[in-house]
């Protein structure tokens, strides 16, 4: 008799061979450059349960450009496996033709040229069209939002997340979980959550004082779909007080909480759950490790690390789905569930090509209504990119947006060195494109955006770089507690990702003099997004806007200041 694991693997292999994978279909269509909305949404309905997954929208209501990462390094057991495969290697792995729309959507090569050919991606009015299409075919499909939704734009900041709440309520998800939402402050988060018309889930969101599950964020909720009893368990970002300011949500604690997750899985199974879905904001490698430790989870819908994978990854009996970010993709997963067991699945990663998918009229009107009071501020042109300059942020080390932000910090704050957080959110700007105030806010908007200027010793700078490097390159995913590597300006260094903490960073150099960083010497360092409550300084978006306005046209020198070895 074929084992359940083998059956699932056979199902996945058959999908790739016989087109039951939606990616296979749109990749071939992309090669023919004959995409239409009907072809993008085409799906052979399968089984009896449908899940729709969106995650990491980061408040992007309108279509954008978004470049996928050039560098995504895996370490330990995750070295060289998805999602740590990029560019040509990624295309080869999934059979993607160079220059096709799928190459544009899923890899970084020739990004600017392909973007001009294939246009913007995302837009929640287009997402609404896709969701309504799936619900028309499968009315009881569950729409699940993986979090990082109420954060990341000018209007989201100005309305304390209300623009996104209004739009998402209209999209009618069944549940969501959380990360950056908590940086609105717990008082505001509590206010919003109490009024949500859908479930706000987090089995790992605890009351910090009593070390008990929070009443406001239940661990799970039951649904019926296709006659199947489905339990959805929420998993919020585990490292909130480390990666973000704990003083903004002092009454809550987080963590991975594997043991509690296992208890919740056992509990819902005991109550008759036939399908167990984890709606997660762990990050992909953490989800893989959790899937190997917690038994009984059928599907993990993965968020946080912004990975877009054309096929689920199977760990044991669990399938893990990654649906990208910024509204660029929607995942549909159809499952065959019988007698309390998942017997097979079909999956489609749907790229939201905004020129191909017709916007939903009601959602488009609602989005315009949210933006209308701020339209003049949003659209004001501050500068432009040079004819050969693409601005992007996505990868383990500096992107050009980060280089520009660091240049602004050094110039405007009169610093020797700049440090910018290794966050993954933020759309891209093409060569020769206007840079508006909205564009600047899309890569800087947060509730603790003060741009500090402090004195730091060379020894302290080394400690900072080593700590962040360990968050990213610790071989145990459960110790990877942040985003990507802190971006630096005015500073060069060498990093060996194979070394232990304290030994990864060497050859630190002050770029303006070419001298080695002296551990005992003090340097003027400007940065932003400090988690310290008493941080003072101008807002980072004002710093960057002032710098861009003075420059007029942005053309950056290539950044070769970080040497990465051990890859």
């Amino acid at each position: 008799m074929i084992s359940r694991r083998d059956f699932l693997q056979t199902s996945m292999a058959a999908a790739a061979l016989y087109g039951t994978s939606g990616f296979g279909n749109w990749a071939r269509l992309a090669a023919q450059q004959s995409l239409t909305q009907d072809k993008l949404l085409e799906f052979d309905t399968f089984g009896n349960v449908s899940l729709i997954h969106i995650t990491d929208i980061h408040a992007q209501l309108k279509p954008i450009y978004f470049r996928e990462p050039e560098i995504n390094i895996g370490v330990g057991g995750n070295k060289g496996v998805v999602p740590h495969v990029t560019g040509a290697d990624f295309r080869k792995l999934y059979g993607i033709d160079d220059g096709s729309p799928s190459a544009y959507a899923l890899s970084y090569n020739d990004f600017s040229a392909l973007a001009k050919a294939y246009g913007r991606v995302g837009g929640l009015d287009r997402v609404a069209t896709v969701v309504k299409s799936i619900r028309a075919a499968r009315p009881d499909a569950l729409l699940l939002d993986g979090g990082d939704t109420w954060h990341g734009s000018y209007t989201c900041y100005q309305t304390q997340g209300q623009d996104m709440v209004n739009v998402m309520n209209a999209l009618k998800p069944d549940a969501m979980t959380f990360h950056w939402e908590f940086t609105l402050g717990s008082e505001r988060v509590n206010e919003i959550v109490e009024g949500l018309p859908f479930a706000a889930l987090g089995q790992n969101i605890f009351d910090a004082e009593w070390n008990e599950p929070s009443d406001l964020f239940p661990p799970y909720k039951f649904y019926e779909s296709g006659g199947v009893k489905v339990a959805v368990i929420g998993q919020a970002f585990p490292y909130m007080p480390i990666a973000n300011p704990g003083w903004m949500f002092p009454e809550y604690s987080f963590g991975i909480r594997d043991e509690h997750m296992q208890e919740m899985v056992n509990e819902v199974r005991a109550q008759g759950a036939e399908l167990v879905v984890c709606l997660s904001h762990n990050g992909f490698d953490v989800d893989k490790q959790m899937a190997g430790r917690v038994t009984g989870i059928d599907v993990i819908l993965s968020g946080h690390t912004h990975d877009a994978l054309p096929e689920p990854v199977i760990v044991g009996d669990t399938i893990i789905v990654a649906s990208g970010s910024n509204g660029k993709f929607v995942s549909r997963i159809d499952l065959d569930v019988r007698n309390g067991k998942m017997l097979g699945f079909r999956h489609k990663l749907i790229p939201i090509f905004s020129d191909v998918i017709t916007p939903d009229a009601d959602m488009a009107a609602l989005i315009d209504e949210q933006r209308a009071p701020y339209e003049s501020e949003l659209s004001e042109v501050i500068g432009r990119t040079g004819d050969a300059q693409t601005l992007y942020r996505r990868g383990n080390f500096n992107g050009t947006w980060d280089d520009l932000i660091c240049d602004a910090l050094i110039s405007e704050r009169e610093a020797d060195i700049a440090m910018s957080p290794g966050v993954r959110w933020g759309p891209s700007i093409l060569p020769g494109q206007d840079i508006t105030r909205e564009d600047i806010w899309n890569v800087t908007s947060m509730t603790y955006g003060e741009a500090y200027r402090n004195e730091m010793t060379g020894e302290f700078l080394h400690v900072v770089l080593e700590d962040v490097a360990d968050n990213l390159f610790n071989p145990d995913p459960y110790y990877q507690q942040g985003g990507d590597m802190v971006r630096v300006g005015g500073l060069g260094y060498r990093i060996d990702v194979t070394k232990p903490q304290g030994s990864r960073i060497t050859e630190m150099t002050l770029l303006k003099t070419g001298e080695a960083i002296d551990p005992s010497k003090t340097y003027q360092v400007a940065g932003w997004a400090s988690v310290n409550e008493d941080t003072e300084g101008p807002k980072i978006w004002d710093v960057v806007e002032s710098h861009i306005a003075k420059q007029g046209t942005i053309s950056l020198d290539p950044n070769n200041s970080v040497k990465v070895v051990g890859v």
Side-chain angles (χ1 to χ4, degrees):
M1 177 181 292
I2 190 169
S3 71
R4 183 166 175 234
R5 174 182 170 84
D6 288 342
F7 186 95
L8 290 173
Q9 290 175 329
T10 301
S11 171
M12 183 172 173
L17 288 171
Y18 302 114
T20 56
S21 157
F23 169 75
N25 286 331
W26 72 261
R28 287 192 293 274
L29 291 166
Q32 300 164 12
Q33 300 188 11
S34 59
L35 285 170
T36 66
Q37 178 172 306
D38 288 343
K39 289 176 180 177
L40 274 178
L41 302 184
E42 188 176 43
F43 193 96
D44 292 329
T45 300
F46 175 78
N48 45 6
V49 178
S50 290
L51 308 176
I52 310 169
H53 183 225
I54 53 177
T55 191
D56 295 275
I57 295 169
H58 286 288
Q60 296 306 309
L61 293 171
K62 289 285 192 175
I64 58 169
Y65 296 108
F66 189 84
R67 181 187 187 269
E68 293 299 321
E70 182 173 345
I71 300 175
N72 189 350
I73 300 169
V75 293
N78 291 305
K79 183 177 181 179
V81 300
V82 294
H84 306 290
V85 182
T86 63
D89 292 333
F90 187 95
R91 297 194 301 278
K92 181 179 179 181
L93 180 65
Y94 290 106
I96 299 172
D97 291 332
D98 292 354
S100 65
S102 42
Y104 167 54
L106 289 163
S107 63
Y108 69 89
N109 303 94
D110 301 318
F111 172 76
S112 296
L114 293 175
K116 291 174 182 177
Y118 297 122
R120 298 176 190 264
V121 295
L124 286 186
D125 50 1
R126 276 79 166 178
V127 170
T129 297
V130 173
V131 170
K132 286 185 177 180
S133 174
I134 297 171
R135 282 173 166 162
R138 188 61 71 76
D140 54 2
L142 299 178
L143 174 59
L144 302 171
D145 174 9
D148 278 1
T149 306
W150 314 334
H151 159 271
S153 73
Y154 183 95
T155 57
C156 192
Y157 181 92
Q158 301 298 334
T159 65
Q160 293 186 291
Q162 194 63 48
D163 65 330
M164 289 304 301
V165 172
N166 294 343
V167 170
M168 292 305 293
N169 285 354
L171 200 59
K172 299 180 180 178
D174 293 281
M176 74 176 291
T177 194
F178 303 89
H179 172 198
W180 276 92
E181 288 79 7
F182 276 95
T183 64
L184 291 171
S186 53
E187 182 177 347
R188 175 60 176 154
V189 171
N190 296 348
E191 177 187 12
I192 295 174
V193 169
E194 286 169 357
L196 287 180
F198 52 86
L201 303 178
Q203 73 85 22
N204 60 334
I205 304 177
F206 273 47
D207 180 287
E209 181 178 0
W210 299 100
N211 195 33
E212 295 177 348
S214 168
D215 292 335
L216 191 59
F217 300 93
Y220 58 80
K221 185 173 180 179
F222 282 103
Y223 303 86
E224 184 171 309
S225 180
V228 173
K229 191 171 185 179
V230 181
V232 177
I233 303 175
Q235 176 79 358
F237 180 58
Y239 305 113
M240 286 297 305
I242 298 171
N244 304 98
W247 56 268
M248 290 184 160
F249 36 88
E251 65 267 49
Y252 294 113
S253 66
F254 299 85
I256 297 172
R257 302 187 186 270
D258 274 352
E259 291 183 3
H260 191 254
M261 174 64 81
Q262 187 67 70
E263 290 175 9
M264 295 302 97
V265 173
N266 296 344
E267 188 172 301
V268 297
R269 289 288 186 188
Q271 295 179 48
E274 299 169 274
L275 181 75
V276 177
V277 177
C278 174
L279 179 60
S280 172
H281 206 89
N282 276 336
F284 199 85
D285 289 350
V286 177
D287 282 328
K288 283 176 62 180
Q289 185 150 306
M290 188 176 72
R293 295 186 177 189
V294 177
T295 61
I297 301 174
D298 296 300
V299 181
I300 296 177
L301 302 175
S302 186
H304 177 59
T305 39
H306 292 198
D307 309 297
L309 296 182
E311 295 288 357
V313 169
I314 299 176
V315 177
D317 292 336
T318 304
I319 66 170
I320 307 176
V321 174
S323 304
S325 68
N326 287 266
K328 189 177 178 182
F329 298 96
V330 173
S331 285
R332 175 178 176 175
I333 311 99
D334 278 18
L335 305 121
D336 185 16
V337 183
R338 305 178 202 170
N339 300 319
K341 293 184 178 180
M342 182 178 70
L343 299 180
F345 67 88
R346 284 182 183 159
H347 162 271
K348 185 169 188 175
L349 180 69
I350 303 169
I352 308 301
F353 291 118
S354 63
D355 290 343
V356 176
I357 297 173
T358 302
D360 177 80
D362 291 339
M363 183 63 85
L366 178 59
I367 290 170
D368 288 344
E369 179 184 325
Q370 309 307 305
R371 291 168 56 86
Y374 311 99
E375 199 58 53
S376 61
E377 292 90 345
L378 292 168
S379 60
E380 183 173 342
V381 175
I382 309 302
R384 68 183 298 274
T385 52
D387 292 337
Q389 181 67 67
T390 302
L391 295 178
Y392 62 88
R393 170 199 280 157
R394 182 70 178 88
N396 293 149
F397 297 94
N398 282 44
T400 49
W401 256 124
D402 303 300
D403 292 339
L404 177 56
I405 291 170
C406 286
D407 285 352
L409 285 164
I410 289 173
S411 174
E412 297 291 312
R413 302 291 282 149
E414 299 180 347
D416 302 313
I417 293 167
M419 304 181 76
S420 189
V423 294
R424 300 183 179 95
W425 41 271
S428 306
I429 306 293
L430 301 186
Q433 185 178 332
D434 287 340
I435 303 172
T436 65
R437 179 170 292 116
E438 179 173 22
D439 295 324
I440 295 169
W441 278 74
N442 281 343
V443 293
T444 58
S445 176
M446 63 168 63
T447 54
Y448 51 105
E450 288 78 12
Y452 62 82
R453 182 177 183 270
N454 294 332
E455 290 187 345
M456 297 184 187
T457 64
E459 180 182 17
F460 184 74
L461 282 167
H462 184 260
V463 169
V464 170
L465 292 178
E466 287 282 1
D467 283 350
V468 179
D470 196 59
N471 280 343
L472 182 58
F473 298 118
N474 191 300
D476 184 343
Y478 279 17
Y479 287 92
Q480 296 171 8
Q481 299 171 342
D484 284 308
M485 191 64 189
V486 61
R487 283 62 163 113
V488 294
L491 174 69
Y493 63 90
R494 179 182 186 271
I495 178 169
D496 186 338
V497 301
T498 67
K499 298 292 186 182
Q501 184 175 10
S503 303
R504 292 188 180 96
I505 307 295
T506 57
E507 300 178 18
M508 294 173 60
T509 305
L510 185 66
L511 296 181
K512 70 179 181 180
T513 64
E515 298 174 349
I517 294 291
D518 185 339
S520 62
K521 187 175 179 179
T522 297
Y523 302 89
Q524 294 291 341
V525 179
W528 65 290
S530 169
V531 298
N532 297 320
E533 186 173 5
D534 58 352
T535 301
E536 296 180 352
K539 299 294 188 181
I540 185 61
W541 42 85
D542 293 330
V543 172
V544 175
E545 180 173 320
S546 176
H547 178 72
I548 292 175
K550 291 173 184 175
Q551 298 294 311
T553 299
I554 300 300
S555 293
L556 301 168
D557 293 329
N559 187 344
N560 301 310
S561 61
V562 178
K563 181 180 180 182
V564 183
V565 297
V567 179

